[in-house]
Amino acid sequence: ECVMDEFNYIIKDLLENDKVNEMKIYMQHCNTSCFEHSYNVSYICYKICKKFNFDYVSASRGAMLHDFFLYDWRKNKKFNFHAYKHGKIAYNNAIKEFKLNEIEKNMILRHMWPVTIVPPKYKEGFVLTLADKWCATKEIVTFMFNIIRNNPIIQYAYLFYIFIFKNF
C-alpha cells in the first residue's frame, strides 16, 4: 500500500492531466488501453529502479509518458511504421504538456530500442525498454489465452486433437 502511494504521488500530476487521460480511449496491445499499458510499465520501472537505487522518480514519469502519442495506430494507415515513429511523437506531446528532465526525455525517445537503432542513454531507459517489452508480451499472451479459454470450439478441437493423437 505504501509503495503504491509513493508511486502514485510521483506521477500524480500526470494522472490528473486531461491529455494523459485521453490515452484511455486508445488501445495499445489487444484490449489494453495505452493508459493502462503505460501505467503498468511505469510501476514496473518504479519498482526496479527503486530496488537498484536508480532515479526511480524520472523512471516512473518517463515511463508513464513513453506511449503518449494520442492516436489509434491500428485503425489509421497514416500511422504506418508506428513502432519506429511513436517515440518521437510521444516525446513531442510530452514536452508540450510537461517540464521533463534529460532522463525522462531520453527514455521516451529511445524506449523502442532495439527496434529503433539508437539505444537509451541512461540506465533508466534500459529498464523502460525491458519493462515495456515485458508488459506488451504479457498483454498479448493474456489476450490470446482468454480467447482460447473462452472459446468452446477451440477447447473441443484441443480435446479432439488429444483424443486422436494420444496413442501415437
Side-chain angles (χ1 to χ4, degrees):
E1 186 68 42
C2 187
V3 169
M4 283 302 291
D5 289 345
E6 180 183 45
F7 167 69
N8 284 316
Y9 179 77
I10 290 167
I11 61 170
K12 184 178 190 305
D13 64 314
L14 307 181
L15 298 177
E16 293 173 348
N17 181 277
D18 289 339
K19 291 212 184 237
V20 170
N21 278 286
E22 188 180 328
M23 294 166 65
K24 293 175 181 175
I25 66 172
Y26 302 111
M27 301 313 282
Q28 178 60 320
H29 305 112
C30 302
N31 62 351
T32 303
S33 75
C34 192
F35 180 92
E36 182 183 1
H37 167 76
S38 296
Y39 184 86
N40 292 336
V41 170
S42 181
Y43 184 62
I44 290 171
C45 286
Y46 162 81
K47 286 175 46 175
I48 292 171
C49 288
K50 187 161 184 156
K51 179 171 182 60
F52 289 104
N53 294 316
F54 297 166
D55 183 348
Y56 62 89
V57 172
S58 295
S60 301
R61 297 177 64 77
M64 187 64 209
L65 297 171
H66 82 279
D67 281 342
F68 189 43
F69 47 79
L70 304 176
Y71 57 82
D72 190 337
W73 61 272
R74 298 182 299 181
K75 292 185 179 174
N76 193 330
K77 294 294 180 202
K78 171 175 124 175
F79 300 114
N80 284 345
F81 305 105
H82 169 77
Y84 302 99
K85 296 178 181 178
H86 78 273
K88 179 74 169 170
I89 294 167
Y91 168 83
N92 287 331
N93 289 340
I95 62 172
K96 288 176 193 167
E97 289 290 315
F98 305 102
K99 184 175 184 204
L100 304 176
N101 66 34
E102 291 306 310
I103 294 173
E104 295 162 347
K105 289 176 185 176
N106 189 263
M107 288 175 70
I108 297 166
L109 278 171
R110 305 292 178 226
H111 78 273
M112 282 303 292
W113 181 80
V115 173
T116 54
I117 296 170
V118 182
K121 184 175 180 181
Y122 304 98
K123 55 191 172 274
E124 294 82 2
F126 283 99
V127 172
L128 170 57
T129 297
L130 294 172
D132 186 34
K133 301 332 177 243
W134 167 258
C135 285
T137 301
K138 183 179 178 202
E139 291 157 9
I140 293 165
V141 168
T142 299
F143 179 79
M144 298 306 291
F145 178 77
N146 285 335
I147 287 174
I148 293 167
R149 187 181 68 192
N150 296 321
N151 188 323
I153 293 172
I154 294 174
Q155 292 171 356
Y156 290 131
Y158 177 73
L159 291 173
F160 179 73
Y161 172 82
I162 296 297
F163 177 75
I164 296 296
F165 293 103
K166 76 174 190 173
N167 294 324
F168 291 103

